[in-house]
Amino acid sequence: MDTRRGRTNRRRFLLIAGLPLLTLGGGMTYLLWPQPYRIPVRTDLEPLNERFRPHLGELTGAHWLGYDVDDEAGGGRSLPSPDSRVRLVGVARLAPGGAAAIVGAPGRTFTSAAPSALPHALDPYLPAAAVWQHSPEFDAYANRETPGARPSGMYLFDTARDLVCFDLLYLHT
């Protein structure tokens, strides 16, 4: 009976001492494990208005991301690439009536469309009930090449909320 009591005491000791050690070890592992790089959602309007004002007018609110597609780690590349690809993606609010004015302009055909696979960080800012409209003619108009950059991508408009959803890739040469 004495040997049985010794085993019970040893098990009790291991349980009491081991559980906190396992918890501490698990917590430290979680803290030290490399986390995926997350790009913060931006709300500043100046960079967007600078790019989009000629095509969209003045933006009054935005949630967007701008990042180098080739820089997966997010730490900044040490050597510049000969062709830097920057993705500019987000949702912005136009001036009242702005989306309806763009969609109703002559010479462009708008049809129903859905946003492409946007980064999950933007999900809270995309209204579930939005009715998005897209026009390849508007994309061609807004994505004109500028000195040093070639944009490509699409713009979607929700006229009920005066929203534009943009997903663009700028190739800087």
Side-chain angles (χ1 to χ4, degrees):
M1 212 131 130
D2 228 20
T3 58
R4 178 173 243 171
R5 185 169 222 194
R7 287 183 192 158
T8 304
N9 286 338
R10 189 176 13 200
R11 287 182 185 153
R12 214 178 277 153
F13 171 76
L14 289 174
L15 181 64
I16 291 170
L19 192 58
L21 287 175
L22 282 173
T23 304
L24 180 65
M28 291 301 290
T29 302
Y30 175 77
L31 290 174
L32 296 175
W33 198 268
Q35 298 295 318
Y37 176 69
R38 299 192 199 294
I39 302 165
V41 175
R42 296 176 61 174
T43 58
D44 50 326
L45 294 174
E46 188 178 330
L48 295 180
N49 277 325
E50 192 176 302
R51 279 187 172 86
F52 296 149
R53 189 177 292 118
H55 318 300
L56 302 175
E58 193 76 20
L59 302 176
T60 61
H63 293 91
W64 61 282
L65 303 170
Y67 59 94
D68 187 337
V69 175
D70 300 317
D71 186 13
E72 293 174 7
R77 291 183 282 167
S78 58
L79 294 174
S81 170
D83 61 336
S84 178
R85 299 180 305 155
V86 175
R87 184 178 185 194
L88 191 61
V89 57
V91 180
R93 183 165 307 282
L94 303 170
I102 291 170
V103 170
R108 298 185 188 125
T109 305
F110 280 86
T111 57
S112 293
S116 59
L118 300 178
H120 292 297
L122 294 172
D123 287 346
Y125 311 108
L126 286 170
V131 179
W132 298 108
Q133 298 181 52
H134 173 250
S135 169
E137 294 92 358
F138 183 83
D139 293 346
Y141 160 73
N143 288 333
R144 289 191 225 146
E145 190 170 339
T146 59
R150 269 184 297 186
S152 63
M154 63 189 309
Y155 298 82
L156 302 169
F157 297 92
D158 177 34
T159 56
R161 292 169 187 81
D162 279 318
L163 292 177
V164 60
C165 176
F166 52 91
D167 190 356
L168 307 170
L169 186 67
Y170 282 85
L171 177 63
H172 294 277
T173 54

